Amino acid sequence: MIVKWDFVKRLHLDAKCGLLNARSVNLLVELFKMLDWRGTGSLDDVQFQCILSHATDLKESQIYKIFDLFDLDGSGSVEFDEFYLLICILVAMKDGTAKNFMFQNWRTCFEILDAGGSGDVSRKEFQTLGFLFNFTPKAIRRIYQEFDVTGNSELDNEDFQLFVLAAIELQADIDRKGRMARQAYNPLIQRISKLMNGLIGMCYPDQEKQYGNDTL
């Protein structure tokens, strides 16, 4: 999921709790009042679809799945509390901190994914709603292979907690390897540039060297 909404791009979650600060919440309240032009204290499915179509690259079918998920009482509308949670998820996605958000708010995320309210997140539920946190079908299959302890294609609270912790560690490891690769890449470029300059100097001693560090 890609976040496109400029309003969301200006918001950031508190690093400690993974939620919006008071100033951002006040802005969100005023935005919600503007969107709720009928003054009902809620957004219907059409308003919800228009907002997320503008804010993200989600397909219409995915947006309506999210709407059904947040319409807890089946009233055909979404109140401010659910809208606030959705914006927090969008901000986390935008900042690349979705896994940290899941760690800090794992119980809420578990309840979101547990659409049926069974107390377990089935593979089907995860595959249906995993796009909220940018999980691909391949990643979801791997999650259930590694963390579905009972083998019943469901994750309970403890399984889900283990998964979130492992996801954080995996992301940290990927970031660490990325930094190491970049650090190793720069000296390699310098050695190649030096070698190319040496070869040019041997073949064309009167020609100006053209292979500097910034030309490769």
Side-chain angles (χ1 to χ4, degrees):
M1 176 172 62
I2 298 175
V3 178
K4 304 182 296 181
W5 197 4
D6 287 339
F7 175 80
V8 174
K9 291 181 179 180
R10 295 187 179 96
L11 302 178
H12 300 281
L13 300 180
D14 183 270
K16 293 182 179 180
C17 64
L19 297 172
L20 295 173
N21 59 30
R23 178 178 176 275
S24 296
V25 172
N26 288 334
L27 289 174
L28 199 59
V29 168
E30 295 304 315
L31 173 66
F32 189 83
K33 290 178 180 178
M34 293 172 61
L35 296 172
D36 176 26
W37 58 273
R38 286 191 290 261
T40 61
S42 61
L43 305 175
D44 63 24
D45 56 344
V46 176
Q47 292 169 305
F48 191 86
Q49 193 273 331
C50 290
I51 293 167
L52 276 192
S53 292
H54 175 73
T56 70
D57 64 341
L58 292 175
K59 300 176 182 177
E60 184 174 315
S61 60
Q62 293 175 316
I63 292 174
Y64 279 110
K65 286 178 182 177
I66 297 174
F67 178 83
D68 291 338
L69 175 69
F70 284 107
D71 180 18
L72 300 177
D73 57 2
S75 63
S77 61
V78 170
E79 285 73 36
F80 176 78
D81 289 347
E82 290 80 21
F83 182 72
Y84 165 79
L85 177 58
L86 177 64
I87 294 298
C88 286
I89 293 174
L90 294 182
V91 173
M93 293 300 304
K94 179 262 300 183
D95 287 340
T97 59
K99 293 181 177 64
N100 287 328
F101 177 84
M102 292 183 73
F103 174 71
Q104 293 168 316
N105 304 278
W106 72 267
R107 190 178 297 278
T108 300
C109 294
F110 181 84
E111 291 174 353
I112 289 174
L113 295 171
D114 180 20
S118 63
D120 297 290
V121 177
S122 68
R123 180 179 295 192
K124 182 179 180 180
E125 288 173 329
F126 214 142
Q127 288 173 334
T128 301
L129 300 168
F131 65 85
L132 262 176
F133 302 100
N134 270 3
F135 285 106
T136 63
K138 182 179 180 180
I140 292 171
R141 285 196 299 272
R142 182 176 175 184
I143 288 168
Y144 278 83
Q145 288 172 355
E146 295 187 11
F147 298 99
D148 178 18
V149 178
T150 60
N152 60 356
S153 293
E154 294 183 343
L155 297 179
D156 60 19
N157 277 317
E158 293 182 0
D159 295 337
F160 190 77
Q161 281 183 285
L162 289 173
F163 149 67
V164 172
L165 288 172
I168 294 291
E169 293 178 3
L170 177 61
Q171 187 64 55
D173 185 54
I174 291 173
D175 293 342
R176 186 163 50 250
K177 288 180 179 178
R179 288 193 297 270
M180 292 174 63
R182 288 191 295 271
Q183 291 171 357
Y185 178 76
N186 289 334
L188 176 62
I189 289 295
Q190 293 174 2
R191 289 197 297 270
I192 293 175
S193 298
K194 185 176 181 180
L195 176 61
M196 293 299 295
N197 280 328
L199 290 173
I200 291 174
M202 291 172 61
C203 298
Y204 307 100
D206 297 328
Q207 182 173 327
E208 182 181 357
K209 296 178 182 179
Q210 298 177 355
Y211 288 88
N213 291 344
D214 57 352
T215 60
L216 288 179

